[in-house]
Amino acid sequence: MKIIKVRNYEEMSDIAAEYVTTLIKEKPDTVLGLATGSTPIGLYKRLIKDHNENKTSYENIKTFNLDEYIGLDKNNSQSYHYFMHEHLFKNININKKNIYIPNGFAKDINKECIEYNEKLKNNVIHLQILGIGSNGHIGFNEPGTSFSSEVHVVKLDENTRKANSRFFNQINEVPTYSITMGIKNIMEAKQIILLASGNQKANAIYDTIHGEVTENVPASILRTHPNIIVIVDEEASSLV
Ligand code: PGA
């Protein structure tokens, strides 16, 4: 586990963007695993800026997102489809057919899980971008999720719904279920970059780096990954 401590969110995003753009330039058909939430927005802004200024091409890039709420259609402004379109995809030259996000509005959610899992099996993710929840979740894999989990349906932890309610008008609008890559899927990525900023992540980062490897802290399994970089700002790493 390589740990890079930086001053703040801006530096965290700069370094993450440097890793991603370097990889894409070296390997134009990179398969990226992508995350939503506040954490990667700075990274995505930098990728767009670099695309505009340096013409880094996404033409042959494939992307797989970690998760999606169940019950929100793609055009709902709270869906992760919408988030990704707004914060990244509409601003780069990615081919729409190379974008994969679980469909939380599928009629048969179990079938959707099986099919998304199949797609992941057929595509090795070269670089997975991850955020972390204040309870140590990765994707929507809440504490207690099996390390051997694959794509599955999750009932969201109340803390997670509360944390995510900042994006909604009120908490009862936050969906109760989501579909997420499992921990096993995440661990199959060739390389992982975990990003964390802010003091609300300090306990989760401490537990991830120094605590026991336990299903009670989903991110703790990342310590066993052979190629993981953790980029943390001063507040997130204040207990480390
Ligand atoms: P955040 O969420 O980036 O909005 O803090 C991260 C997560 O819950 O995984």
Side-chain angles (χ1 to χ4, degrees), residues 36-40 131-134 137-139 160 164 166-167 200-201:
T36 51
S38 307
T39 308
I132 185 169
S134 52
H137 75 205
I138 47 176
T160 302
N164 290 7
R166 69 190 192 278
F167 299 112
Q200 73 281 14
K201 303 293 170 69

Side-chain angles (χ1 to χ4, degrees), residues 137-201:
H137 75 205
I138 47 176
F140 269 134
N141 295 287
E142 302 287 17
T145 306
S146 165
F147 285 153
S148 59
S149 57
E150 297 191 321
V151 178
H152 63 289
V153 169
V154 178
K155 184 169 193 310
L156 298 178
D157 196 281
E158 271 317 291
N159 289 328
T160 302
R161 291 187 70 239
K162 244 182 241 157
N164 290 7
S165 66
R166 69 190 192 278
F167 299 112
F168 293 78
N169 294 322
Q170 45 188 341
I171 187 154
N172 58 16
E173 287 178 16
V174 184
T176 311
Y177 290 92
S178 78
I179 179 166
T180 185
M181 275 191 207
I183 294 177
K184 182 161 178 263
N185 302 113
I186 293 171
M187 290 294 285
E188 280 167 356
K190 291 254 180 259
Q191 183 175 35
I192 296 175
I193 293 183
L194 174 68
L195 303 174
S197 166
N199 52 25
Q200 73 281 14
K201 303 293 170 69

Side-chain angles (χ1 to χ4, degrees), residues 31-48:
V31 180
L32 288 176
L34 297 177
T36 51
S38 307
T39 308
I41 291 177
L43 160 64
Y44 297 155
K45 278 194 180 138
R46 284 156 178 78
L47 297 185
I48 293 164

Side-chain angles (χ1 to χ4, degrees), residues 103-116:
N103 179 8
F105 213 57
K107 277 207 187 94
D108 184 341
I109 288 289
N110 288 330
K111 186 162 165 255
E112 176 64 16
C113 288
I114 293 166
E115 287 176 1
Y116 200 64

